[in-house]
Amino acid sequence: MVYSTISIADLIQRITPDDAAYFPNGKVLVTRVEGLSLFVNPVKLSAVTALVCISGEIDGRINLKKYHVVENDMFICLPGDMLQIHSADNVQAYAVLLSSDYLNEMHIDLNVRTDTYMAVRNNAVTSLSREDIMELAPYFTLLQKYLRKNNPQIVRGLVQALAHTIIALRKEHMPEKNVEDYARETRAQQIFDRFIYLLDSYHTKERCLKFYAGKMALTTKYMSLMIKAYSGKSALEWLNEYVIMEARLLLDYTDLTVQEISYRLNFPTQSAFGKYFRQQVGVSPKSYRLAGGR
């Protein structure tokens, strides 16, 4: 089994036109969801995705973590997240997909290298009230209307308002202790933001903290102190988490050999990859795969 990467443009080719509205350039898609058969096999979505479940139940995984989504739940996938849906019963939902380029144009980063980023990584699903759902519903209707009218100015304003509403709702429903944990000083947050951005781009190639510190024109010690102060985890822990997540996804969802995976992750030898994986996971890559992983 090999996973694929799906963009908004790819999805546009596979959905029913009556259910969806989108820009032809593939930067924005708003669609009604009644089934999720496209995601029975694991895929990586190259878009920020927010889905609000109106009714029904969804069982699936995001980055190997199991989730159960029910009525009035909202879940968010970030670009590069691995999504697989195991079952979807009587689902009625709305989804908004936004390309990273589109969000960057508006200086909105729902990938958000901020408290929202860590909150989404810890738990992609937020349970909302019915009143919250009613607050979100008009955005879907209006976005569909003005996407079909091809009015980029109004769509832009609606996306900005929706993004900030989603961030506010997640913070509102976040346990208080998490809000306190994530409220760090500005400089540390900026360094963390940049570090995570670099990890997204380079974690399959670079595993040396000096490389990331150099990209930010910081000393490794200072970078590590700021990241620890902001996130509660060290820079090395974040780096290892990204590398191991990628390794586990490749072991779980592709037919690549362990040697091929070690090459893809830029390890000098299969033995070096095996040693690294065992140190982080507790078993060898081969044993992990034979045990069914995940």
Side-chain angles (χ1 to χ4, degrees), residues 93-230:
Y94 284 95
V96 176
L97 290 87
L98 307 167
S99 73
S100 297
D101 289 344
Y102 186 74
L103 289 173
N104 290 338
E105 288 170 12
M106 295 185 296
H107 307 290
I108 296 174
D109 197 1
L110 272 189
N111 266 25
V112 269
R113 325 299 180 185
T114 60
D115 53 356
T116 308
Y117 173 86
M118 286 190 285
V120 170
R121 281 292 182 224
N122 289 333
N123 188 359
V125 176
T126 306
S127 295
L128 304 177
S129 67
R130 197 63 189 173
E131 290 73 21
D132 295 330
I133 298 297
M134 296 302 293
E135 182 180 346
L136 289 171
Y139 287 112
F140 297 106
T141 303
L142 289 170
L143 278 168
Q144 284 187 318
K145 176 180 178 180
Y146 288 102
L147 280 167
R148 286 173 177 143
K149 287 188 173 184
N150 196 27
N151 190 316
Q153 289 78 22
I154 293 180
V155 169
R156 181 186 181 95
L158 288 168
V159 167
Q160 288 176 323
L162 175 60
H164 290 297
T165 300
I166 287 174
I167 290 172
L169 286 173
R170 282 200 59 100
K171 287 184 177 180
E172 179 182 336
H173 291 275
M174 194 187 304
E176 186 64 25
K177 64 176 183 178
N178 287 341
V179 174
E180 293 172 357
D181 289 342
Y182 297 151
R184 308 295 184 187
E185 58 123 344
T186 303
R187 178 58 176 159
Q189 178 180 318
Q190 290 172 345
I191 291 172
F192 176 79
D193 291 354
R194 179 63 177 163
F195 178 67
I196 294 297
Y197 174 82
L198 291 170
L199 273 186
D200 276 343
S201 302
Y202 294 106
H203 71 275
T204 60
K205 304 179 184 70
E206 298 287 346
R207 291 182 302 283
C208 177
L209 291 181
K210 187 176 180 180
F211 168 84
Y212 296 95
K215 284 284 186 180
M216 291 187 278
L218 301 172
T219 66
T220 302
K221 182 177 180 180
Y222 180 73
M223 179 192 74
S224 299
L225 284 172
M226 290 296 98
I227 290 169
K228 179 73 171 181
Y230 178 70

Side-chain angles (χ1 to χ4, degrees), residues 244-282:
I244 290 300
M245 177 62 68
E246 191 73 26
R248 290 175 65 196
L249 290 172
L250 291 168
L251 288 164
D252 284 344
Y253 293 122
T254 77
D255 296 321
L256 295 173
T257 66
V258 173
Q259 183 174 359
E260 289 169 334
I261 291 171
S262 67
Y263 176 78
R264 179 171 290 197
L265 295 178
N266 202 30
F267 283 85
T269 64
Q270 179 178 334
S271 176
F273 169 60
K275 181 178 180 181
Y276 176 87
F277 191 91
R278 184 186 290 275
Q279 287 174 338
Q280 301 300 319
V281 181

